[in-house]
């Protein structure tokens, strides 16, 4: 076992050394994590360990972490059904890797993981549903300061999973088979004067389900072009005017659209530990469709806000909010307005004991359809997901973990409601 461990560590260190040389020669390790590191932390018990899970807590600052986890748990509604919920015990095994590198000019963070959850009491392929979940992801965050004025940034996230993710707001709000999701953003920031700068960005989003009946109205790609005009009003406050242009292209259903965003807002630092970012304005959508159901135009207010607060070195809090037009998760109603809010809290109770809390709420207003060929009433739907986890580090390598997750979906449409509880406990080995 020791020889295997030595081989794995040597292999990972070799890969890390190559990545570090590619990013910036002669750099020093840094401790910040990827911008995606929190997004799969506690929202699903089946999720494999992320960069927050595989770290060594307060024991070490070593930049490369490999983690192996094994969890046992109970799920009272495996298939997220409102009719005869299927209960089952489950076993989850996961493997994760994180690497952080930094220098005065370049910062790089990489995370990757894979896991599987097997349900023991569901039978094989009940009602077309698998008796197992899969979860694999890769995340990358890179920032490079090319000159004192010019900065490049890349943030990329790819995942293949079975369960909905309320923290990232991807996929349907219920289990609907395996799906692939990616979100990749590149940004170029240029400081024109000491007070004025621009940030030009491009974002690619892709979603594809293995189940063609679901993918018929879900599979799509999105291209988003954006530009921010930033003016430093005070040392702690930056005023922002922003324009975005979004192109949504569906693979199978005739529901393509283009959207213009006109936004204004600010970024403000109340203190080194407390910051707020706000954008508000309007979005104007045009449907590029020959289908009489999915055509015309739509206008809606749009807003998003993010608050980050570090209560000392042991506690951090992040609160995000968003309202606007979103892609629908049903075939019959082509548009909806959605409000999302999410709270993530991390706290180190002691050097060995740490905990996480995630709470996410989503309210959807689906627009009605009244065309010569088809009529569909509008409806509302609410989804709430809360998860809490606790970790006890026995020593540098070994930790005990446990958690609880509750999901509640209520809808005006029959049979779309469901309630779900998951509880789990397990061990984590990090080296």
């Amino acid at each position: 076992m020791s020889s295997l461990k030595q081989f794995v560590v040597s292999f990972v260190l070799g890969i890390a050394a190559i990545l570090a040389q590619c990013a910036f020669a002669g750099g020093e390790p840094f401790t910040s994590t990827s911008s995606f590191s929190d997004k799969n932390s506690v929202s699903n018990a089946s999720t494999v360990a992320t960069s927050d899970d595989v770290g060594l807590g307060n024991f070490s600052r070593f930049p490369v972490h490999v983690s192996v986890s094994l969890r046992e748990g109970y799920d009272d509604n495996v298939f997220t059904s409102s009719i005869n919920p299927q209960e089952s015990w489950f076993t989850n095994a996961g493997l994760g890797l994180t690497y952080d590198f930094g220098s005065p000019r370049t910062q790089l963070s990489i995370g990757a993981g894979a896991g599987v959850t097997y349900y023991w009491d569901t039978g094989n392929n009940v009602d077309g549903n698998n008796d197992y979940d899969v979860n694999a992801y890769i995340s990358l965050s890179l920032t490079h300061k090319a000159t004192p004025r010019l900065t490049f940034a890349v943030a990329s996230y790819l995942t293949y999973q079975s369960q909905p993710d309320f923290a990232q707001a991807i996929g349907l709000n219920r289990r609907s088979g395996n799906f692939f999701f990616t979100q990749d953003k590149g940004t170029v920031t240029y400081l024109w004067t000491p007070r004025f700068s621009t940030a030009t960005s491009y974002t690619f989003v892709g979603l594809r389900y293995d189940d063609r009946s679901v993918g018929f109205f879900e599979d799509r790609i999105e291209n988003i072009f954006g530009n921010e005009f930033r003016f430093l009003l005070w040392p702690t406050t930056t005023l922002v005017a922003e324009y975005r242009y979004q192109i949504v292209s569906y693979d199978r259903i005739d529901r393509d659209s283009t959207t213009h965003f006109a936004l204004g807002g600010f970024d403000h630092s109340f203190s080194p530990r407390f910051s707020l970012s706000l954008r508000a304005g309007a979005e104007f959508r045009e449907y590029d469709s020959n289908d009489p159901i999915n055509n015309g135009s739509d206008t809606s207010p749009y807003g998003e806000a993010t608050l980050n607060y570090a209560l000392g070195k042991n506690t951090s809090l992040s609160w995000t909010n968003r309202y606007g037009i979103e892609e629908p998760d049903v075939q019959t109603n082509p548009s909806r307005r959605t409000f999302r809010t999410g709270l993530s809290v991390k706290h180190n109770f002691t050097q060995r004991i740490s905990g996480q809390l995630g709470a996410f709420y989503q309210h959807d207003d689906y627009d009605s359809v009244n065309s010569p060929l088809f009529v569909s009433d509008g409806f509302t739907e609410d989804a709430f997901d809360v998860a809490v986890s606790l970790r006890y580090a026995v020593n540098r390598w070994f930790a005990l973990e446990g958690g609880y997750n509750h999901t509640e979906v209520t809808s005006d449409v029959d049979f779309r409601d469901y309630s779900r509880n998951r509880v789990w406990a397990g061990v984590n080995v990090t080296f």
Side-chain angles (χ1 to χ4, degrees), residues 318-330:
S318 179
W319 184 28
T320 59
N321 299 270
R322 188 177 72 197
Y323 176 83
I325 300 174
E326 290 193 4
E327 302 306 311
D329 287 336
V330 297

Side-chain angles (χ1 to χ4, degrees), residues 47 51 54 70 85 131 150 198 241 290 297 340 365 371 415:
T47 302
S51 58
V54 301
L70 181 64
D131 53 5
L150 181 63
T198 57
N290 296 319
S297 61
R340 298 179 182 273
D365 287 311
S371 73
F415 308 119

Side-chain angles (χ1 to χ4, degrees), residues 39-329:
K39 296 188 175 181
N40 289 316
S41 56
V42 295
S43 60
N44 296 308
S46 62
T47 302
V48 298
T50 65
S51 58
D52 295 315
D53 299 320
V54 301
L56 298 179
N58 296 328
F59 287 113
S60 173
R61 295 294 184 181
F62 192 60
V64 179
H65 299 151
V66 179
S67 174
V68 179
S69 63
L70 181 64
R71 298 171 177 177
E72 295 291 331
Y74 175 78
D75 190 327
D76 70 355
N77 193 352
V78 175
F79 302 128
T80 61
S81 173
S82 61
I83 305 174
N84 298 323
Q86 174 65 59
E87 304 176 4
S88 178
W89 293 91
F90 65 83
T91 299
N92 169 259
L95 173 69
L97 180 148
T98 62
Y99 170 72
D100 291 332
F101 163 83
S103 75
R105 293 180 59 190
T106 304
Q107 293 185 344
L108 172 67
S109 181
I110 299 174
V116 61
T117 302
Y118 182 78
Y119 298 93
W120 295 96
D121 304 323
T122 62
N124 186 27
N125 203 28
V126 176
D127 296 330
N129 289 292
N130 292 326
D131 53 5
Y132 62 90
D133 291 341
V134 296
N135 187 314
Y137 73 93
I138 299 174
S139 65
L140 180 145
S141 176
L142 173 65
T143 302
H144 177 65
K145 195 173 184 64
T147 71
R149 292 176 179 267
L150 181 63
T151 302
F152 298 96
V154 175
S156 181
Y157 182 72
L158 301 90
T159 181
Y160 181 74
Q161 63 189 66
S162 305
Q163 296 291 340
D165 193 331
F166 292 89
Q168 278 192 270
I170 61 172
L172 301 177
N173 61 12
R174 64 201 66 241
R175 180 177 172 177
S176 302
N178 302 338
F179 65 92
F180 170 81
F181 171 82
T182 183
Q183 179 172 293
D184 314 288
K185 182 177 182 178
T187 305
V188 178
T189 303
Y190 190 78
L191 183 65
W192 298 88
T193 71
R195 287 182 176 268
F196 178 71
S197 63
T198 57
T200 304
S201 64
Y202 167 71
T203 304
F204 174 83
V205 178
L207 178 65
R208 181 177 294 275
Y209 276 82
D210 289 352
D211 187 337
R212 291 181 61 87
S213 64
V214 178
F216 175 77
F217 59 89
E218 280 292 297
D219 292 355
R220 63 184 181 270
I221 61 172
E222 301 176 21
N223 295 277
I224 306 170
F225 304 87
N227 195 74
E228 290 185 350
F229 302 91
R230 305 174 60 86
F231 181 76
L232 184 64
L233 183 62
W234 298 304
T236 58
T237 305
T238 300
L239 299 180
V240 180
E242 182 177 3
Y243 169 76
R244 300 176 194 169
Y245 179 64
Q246 178 188 46
I247 304 171
V248 180
S249 302
Y250 280 83
D251 290 355
R252 298 179 178 89
I253 196 170
D254 192 6
R255 195 181 279 175
D256 296 355
S257 66
T258 58
T259 306
H260 300 269
F261 297 80
L263 308 174
F266 63 87
D267 296 333
H268 179 72
S269 296
F270 297 93
S271 71
R273 297 179 178 273
F274 186 19
S275 64
L276 174 65
S277 178
L278 177 67
R279 303 287 187 272
E283 55 181 312
F284 309 90
R285 173 166 293 198
E286 294 286 340
Y287 290 95
D288 306 325
S289 171
N290 296 319
D291 189 334
I293 299 175
N294 305 321
N295 63 10
S297 61
D298 198 1
T299 302
S300 172
Y302 181 88
E304 59 186 40
T306 301
L307 184 149
N308 293 300
Y309 190 25
L311 304 172
K313 64 179 181 178
N314 292 323
T315 304
S316 63
L317 179 150
S318 179
W319 184 28
T320 59
N321 299 270
R322 188 177 72 197
Y323 176 83
I325 300 174
E326 290 193 4
E327 302 306 311
D329 287 336

Side-chain angles (χ1 to χ4, degrees), residues 253 255 287 291-295 328 330-336 365-379:
I253 196 170
R255 195 181 279 175
Y287 290 95
D291 189 334
I293 299 175
N294 305 321
N295 63 10
V330 297
Q331 182 176 347
T332 55
N333 301 69
S335 64
R336 76 179 187 195
D365 287 311
Y366 284 87
D367 296 331
S368 61
V369 177
N370 189 3
S371 73
L373 300 178
F374 184 78
V375 175
S376 178
D377 293 334
F379 67 95

Side-chain angles (χ1 to χ4, degrees), residues 384-407:
F384 176 70
D385 182 82
V386 61
V388 60
S389 63
L390 194 65
R391 174 188 175 94
Y392 176 73
V394 178
N395 54 39
R396 179 187 293 269
W397 303 279
F398 186 77
L400 304 176
E401 301 174 321
Y404 170 73
N405 182 203
H406 175 74
T407 304

